[in-house]
Amino acid sequence: MTDRIAIDEALVRRLVRSQFPHWADLPIRRVAVDGWDNSTFHLGDTMKVRLPNAPGYAAQAAKELHWLPRLAPLLPVPIPSPVAIGEPGEGYPLHWSIYHWIDGETALAGPIGDHVRFARDIGKFLLALQAIDATGGPPAGRDSFFRGGDLSVYDGETRQCLAELEGQIDVAAAAETWDAALAAEWRDPPVWVHGDIAPGNLLVRDGRLSAVLDFGCSAVGDPACDLVMAWTFFGGAGRAAFIEAVEADTGTWARARGWALWKALLLRVQYSNPQKQAAEERIISAVVEHHRRAR
């Protein structure tokens, strides 16, 4: 996305001062680990400010403000709690939001005591999320980057990546895995989907899953996209525990492999760093091997 907005502490300070003057004296500083969709800043010690980095992420704030308070009581670990939504202003063109701060380190940084237990805790969270009544929930589409929707929306992009990677990976095996994912259509009623279950959105305290962040890509639809951590994070016993914990059928796993493969192929093409390329190739190989074993 090329239309990213420059966001710094001075801008956040002006927005808070003009729209929420009762918090104007609270210190503002950028969080240590930031995301891609939003820039996030501490607001004092108990709140955070999140500002979409581009117009494509703008709808996320209102969606979270509406739905997160309804989802939170039904989930086994905390999720973000919205405090307020801000208006465009001070040269910033989008709505933005304030949340309560949740302590913890992301799974990228925080030590995980037991990967098998961690995998089961994520599975428990996903099952609880899927069990929530999806009536009236936000449909999968452009605002969720089609998470929860039909995987075929990324067919052209995936096949272009495969063409570019000819001779560098096993393109035939990857294409077979992709075709199987497209063939395994979702036919069940829609369920709640987080949309970005990834280490950077999972908080850890005392070695355990303690919170799940960033519901910007949430939707109601097909839960397959929430299973990609099976290959992007877990291995060995942790992967086996995650696969068992989420209780997904063979079709859902086929589509989950498609979601993981699409993203890994895309990143493999985009990255120029050999180490990052190798990491994506490992994910591609793990996904393809899982497909082979599932045949």
Side-chain angles (χ1 to χ4, degrees):
M1 188 170 292
T2 58
D3 51 351
R4 292 176 70 81
I5 302 167
I7 301 171
D8 57 18
E9 291 181 7
L11 171 62
V12 178
R13 189 169 291 108
R14 292 197 305 271
L15 285 167
V16 171
R17 183 183 299 118
S18 63
Q19 299 186 32
F20 302 100
H22 49 293
W23 292 324
D25 293 333
L26 294 177
I28 293 170
R29 67 189 189 283
R30 190 180 290 271
V31 298
V33 180
D34 213 345
W36 177 258
D37 295 5
N38 295 268
S39 289
T40 306
F41 298 79
H42 290 279
L43 178 60
D45 295 326
T46 62
M47 292 181 290
K48 66 179 181 181
V49 181
R50 297 180 79 229
L51 301 93
N53 286 322
Y57 310 123
Q60 296 180 1
K63 177 169 62 176
E64 291 193 341
L65 184 70
H66 179 78
W67 285 106
L68 293 189
R70 293 162 170 79
L71 299 178
L74 304 174
L75 294 170
V77 296
I79 64 174
S81 176
V83 176
I85 190 164
E87 301 288 333
E90 303 297 325
Y92 180 76
L94 307 174
H95 287 86
W96 49 284
S97 47
I98 298 175
Y99 297 79
H100 291 294
W101 177 257
I102 304 176
D103 281 328
E105 294 184 277
T106 71
L108 292 171
I112 296 171
D114 182 336
H115 273 68
V116 169
R117 185 176 62 185
F118 190 68
R120 289 173 177 160
D121 286 345
I122 298 172
K124 181 180 178 182
F125 173 86
L126 290 175
L127 291 179
L129 179 64
Q130 294 165 21
I132 298 172
D133 183 5
T135 302
R142 194 170 301 278
D143 289 343
S144 70
F145 293 88
F146 301 98
R147 304 305 200 277
D150 194 331
L151 187 61
S152 64
V153 72
Y154 292 117
D155 185 45
E157 190 171 60
T158 299
R159 296 193 189 279
Q160 178 62 38
C161 289
L162 288 170
E164 293 185 36
L165 292 172
E166 185 69 51
Q168 301 177 66
I169 65 168
D170 188 341
V171 166
E176 179 184 304
T177 304
W178 179 251
D179 288 339
L182 295 181
E185 296 182 14
W186 172 256
R187 300 181 182 275
D188 294 324
V191 298
W192 274 100
V193 174
H194 177 275
D196 196 9
I197 292 292
N201 291 329
L202 305 175
L203 291 189
V204 177
R205 294 189 71 180
D206 301 322
R208 304 259 335 236
L209 178 69
S210 61
V212 177
L213 307 180
D214 197 351
F215 282 68
C217 289
S218 61
V220 297
D222 173 11
C225 63
D226 278 347
L227 307 185
V228 299
M229 276 189 64
W231 307 283
T232 60
F233 185 77
F234 291 116
R239 179 179 296 160
F242 182 71
I243 290 171
E244 180 182 8
V246 297
E247 301 178 6
D249 60 24
T250 56
T252 300
W253 278 114
R255 295 188 303 279
R257 290 191 291 269
W259 281 104
L261 183 64
W262 156 70
K263 189 62 174 289
L265 289 169
L266 185 63
L267 292 177
R268 172 58 182 82
V269 167
Q270 292 177 346
Y271 284 148
S272 58
N273 181 298
Q275 289 182 323
K276 290 184 176 181
Q277 289 179 340
E280 298 307 321
E281 288 178 9
R282 287 193 292 272
I283 293 172
I284 293 167
S285 295
V287 170
V288 167
E289 180 59 26
H290 193 262
H291 166 69
R292 285 174 175 156
R293 293 183 179 184
R295 284 184 301 188

